[in-house]
Amino acid sequence: MTAVRSDTTPKQAPETTDPPTGFPTGFVWGAATAAYQVEGAAAEDGRTPSIWDTFSRTPGKVRNGDTGDIAADHYHRYRGDVALMKQLGLKAYRFSVSWSRVQPTGRGPAVERGLDFYRRLVDELLEAGIAPVATLYHWDLPQELEDAGGWPARATADRFTDYAAIMAGALGDRVGMWTTLNEPWCSAFLGYGSGVHAPGRTEPGATLRAAHHLNLAHGRAVEVLRGQLPAAAQVSVTLNLHQVRPLTGSEADADAARRIDGVGNRIFTGPILNGAYPEDLIADTSRLVDWSELVHDGDLTTISRPVDVLGVNYYTPTLVSAPVSGAGDTRDDGHGNSDHSPWTGSEHVAFHLAEGKKRTAMNWAIDPDGLYSLLMDVTRDHPGLPLMVTENGAAFDDYVSPEGRVADPERIDYLHGHLAAVQRAVADGADVRGYFLWSLMDNFEWGYGYSKRFGAVYVDYASQRRIPKASAHWYADVIRRHALPPATDAG
Ligand code: FCB
């Protein structure tokens, strides 16, 4: 087992930018996956069901009845996958740990066989010169903890603290970058609000309780990681900050945008980065939850422990207005259909699809300016905060040609546009340290099952053959140049 630390993780603010097409020195080029979406081996080596195993087995919850039982079989094929990453020249790989693989009941001692998988994966990455970026939680709560109340129960944050300590002990000598949670908004608001994600509950009060306990779990994990990891380790959280835009300049639309920004973004950035829940959010939601009972003394100090980097995931902007009869649809917000709104406390808002924009297979508008604005907004609100784009990418209806190739010019265009937006934000003062393409390879896209392909690498699920798409070759070229190729090469 090699206990070497890769030195590809950035420790310092990048200093130079080479206009017009270069990226800062030390800018990290990566790709991301998540445990339940790629690993498979759902019942091997002691792993027990997570809420996603249960949810995907519940009829009608996931398209085609797909499950993550086998997924991309990354658990068995990680060596080949790391070799592929190396071929593509990736400098970092963002993966997540399956909690119920390492702590099957969500409490108590760890299962060494489960930990060994991550030790082997990390060693393989380090040997290939690829920096491992470990996310502790990408939505797969051990089912036993959901049965005990799930994220709406404060005790789940205690369990997460123990789990974080186990992981720091197992991988702390060789993983230099850690992320506590991936997109806690989805865990809370899609999991307990609209119910389109596991565990599929639709309880407004529980949604807000879940959000607070996720924040608390994050803060506690930061404390644990800082206590156990070497000083140079970077600790972060990844948020899917919604780039909320009002449809018109009207006051009513501005208020709709404020409310969605509240339950979509500031419910996390407020306590994590500013040490307080925003007053307007509390006012908007206090009929659903008693915040003074929910937030204990000391919670906000814990939650606001400084992070080294903020991870941001971006796919498409969120266009909102006050409800308008005949226009907009309160449910068509890009997060799946449900009779229950995920926007707990801000239900009376209409969501719109931007006109005149190309769309991905998710029907999400393609809008690189949204990424630029997002990076600039965070920089304006939190000057000097280092940022990392931890997910960005697109699903398209990819297929293998008779010659065995996958041409995906739309994805190349998408990536080119968004990387150019990152570059523009860097030139305008945002401290963006890296970019992780979602996803390394096709995988289980939650409620959409295997019907949506986000990978730079095509996965033929029947044979588990990997075929790098044209976009993977394009991305490899970007990494080699440390710059975007001329736009004419893009498509
Ligand atoms: C993000 C998730 C990721 C993937 C992409 C498309 O919200 O973090 O797992 O599903 O969307």
Side-chain angles (χ1 to χ4, degrees):
M1 224 176 285
T2 35
V4 288
R5 176 187 299 286
S6 162
D7 56 12
T8 46
T9 308
K11 301 288 175 220
Q12 304 242 302
E15 275 157 18
T16 54
T17 306
D18 314 317
T21 54
F23 284 83
T25 306
F27 189 86
V28 178
W29 299 102
T33 64
Y36 191 71
Q37 295 183 273
V38 296
E39 283 181 4
E44 267 178 65
D45 293 335
R47 184 184 180 278
T48 57
S50 72
I51 52 175
W52 268 98
D53 296 78
T54 308
F55 189 74
S56 61
R57 280 185 165 55
T58 310
K61 296 297 186 193
V62 174
R63 201 173 282 188
N64 302 319
D66 290 342
T67 73
D69 282 2
I70 300 172
D73 199 28
H74 188 53
Y75 190 77
H76 298 115
R77 293 167 195 268
Y78 72 92
R79 281 207 171 85
D81 291 337
V82 172
L84 194 52
M85 294 180 218
K86 189 176 177 180
Q87 251 175 43
L88 296 175
L90 293 185
K91 305 293 182 225
Y93 175 49
R94 174 178 180 255
F95 62 95
S96 80
V97 176
S98 158
W99 186 348
S100 65
R101 195 182 285 295
V102 304
Q103 215 189 5
T105 61
R107 63 185 92 225
V111 166
E112 287 303 317
R113 282 174 301 163
L115 288 175
D116 281 344
F117 167 66
Y118 297 103
R119 293 187 179 113
R120 290 194 305 270
L121 171 65
V122 165
D123 287 347
E124 196 75 17
L125 288 165
L126 292 174
E127 244 157 64
I130 299 168
V133 178
T135 298
L136 291 175
Y137 187 75
H138 199 125
W139 307 352
D140 43 359
L141 187 71
Q143 182 60 44
E144 285 210 24
L145 294 186
E146 175 55 32
D147 296 343
W151 285 111
R154 190 175 170 94
T156 301
D158 302 335
R159 300 286 76 75
F160 188 74
T161 316
D162 299 343
Y163 160 61
I166 290 173
M167 293 316 303
L171 301 181
D173 62 345
R174 63 195 94 174
V175 172
M177 178 151 227
W178 294 74
T179 301
T180 54
L181 307 174
N182 174 73
E183 300 190 354
W185 184 84
C186 295
S187 299
F189 290 83
L190 302 182
Y192 296 92
S194 66
V196 299
H197 278 189
R201 286 164 61 180
T202 53
E203 303 159 37
T207 304
L208 298 166
R209 300 180 69 81
H212 178 62
H213 296 141
L214 283 153
N215 281 332
L216 184 61
H218 156 74
R220 294 253 194 88
V222 172
E223 291 176 342
V224 162
L225 294 173
R226 293 244 187 266
Q228 287 185 229
L229 298 177
Q234 304 251 305
V235 179
S236 64
V237 62
T238 278
L239 303 177
N240 55 320
L241 294 177
H242 299 83
Q243 176 61 28
V244 187
R245 296 174 178 168
L247 185 66
T248 73
S250 77
E251 251 177 58
D253 289 1
D255 195 57
R258 176 193 62 74
R259 284 183 288 138
I260 295 306
D261 183 45
V263 285
N265 301 328
R266 291 181 291 119
I267 193 168
F268 300 105
T269 54
I272 292 175
L273 300 174
N274 300 332
Y277 283 102
E279 290 296 330
D280 64 317
L281 166 78
I282 293 180
D284 286 346
T285 57
S286 58
R287 72 201 142 85
L288 301 168
V289 83
D290 178 354
W291 285 92
S292 62
E293 173 268 332
L294 179 60
V295 182
H296 294 195
D297 282 352
D299 282 4
L300 291 166
T301 308
T302 300
I303 297 170
S304 58
R305 297 277 180 234
V307 289
D308 297 301
V309 178
L310 178 71
V312 294
N313 292 353
Y314 171 84
Y315 291 90
T316 190
T318 304
L319 188 58
V320 302
S321 75
V324 195
S325 59
D329 177 342
T330 45
R331 287 170 299 145
D332 191 3
D333 63 352
H335 292 289
N337 259 320
S338 164
D339 291 337
H340 301 266
S341 166
W343 304 98
T344 306
S346 297
E347 288 82 1
H348 302 297
V349 170
F351 291 82
H352 303 264
L353 282 168
E355 279 167 28
K357 302 269 182 213
K358 289 187 187 160
R359 310 258 171 85
T360 71
M362 301 293 284
N363 207 27
W364 294 344
I366 301 177
D367 191 340
D369 285 344
L371 178 55
Y372 170 80
S373 306
L374 180 60
L375 296 168
M376 295 313 294
D377 287 356
V378 181
T379 300
R380 180 199 59 216
D381 294 346
H382 307 281
L385 180 67
L387 304 175
M388 189 83 104
V389 178
T390 38
E391 283 182 28
N392 175 242
F396 290 105
D397 296 326
D398 305 314
Y399 60 92
V400 184
S401 74
E403 298 76 39
R405 284 196 278 274
V406 182
D408 57 343
E410 309 94 331
R411 186 172 289 101
I412 293 176
D413 275 346
Y414 182 100
L415 297 174
H416 195 120
H418 287 76
L419 279 167
V422 170
Q423 203 167 41
R424 209 148 49 85
V426 169
D428 291 348
D431 181 4
V432 189
R433 305 282 178 94
Y435 175 93
F436 290 72
L437 188 160
W438 183 271
S439 174
L440 172 68
M441 57 189 163
D442 295 337
N443 59 52
F444 175 83
E445 179 47 37
W446 309 113
Y448 297 88
Y450 297 100
S451 68
K452 303 293 177 198
R453 292 180 176 274
F454 273 91
V457 174
Y458 186 94
V459 176
D460 172 31
Y461 293 108
S463 65
Q464 289 294 348
R465 205 171 136 225
R466 275 69 165 138
I467 305 170
K469 303 176 191 176
S471 59
H473 299 299
W474 179 88
Y475 192 48
D477 183 48
V478 170
I479 298 173
R480 239 184 338 262
R481 295 169 186 247
H482 203 65
L484 287 171
T488 44
D489 291 7

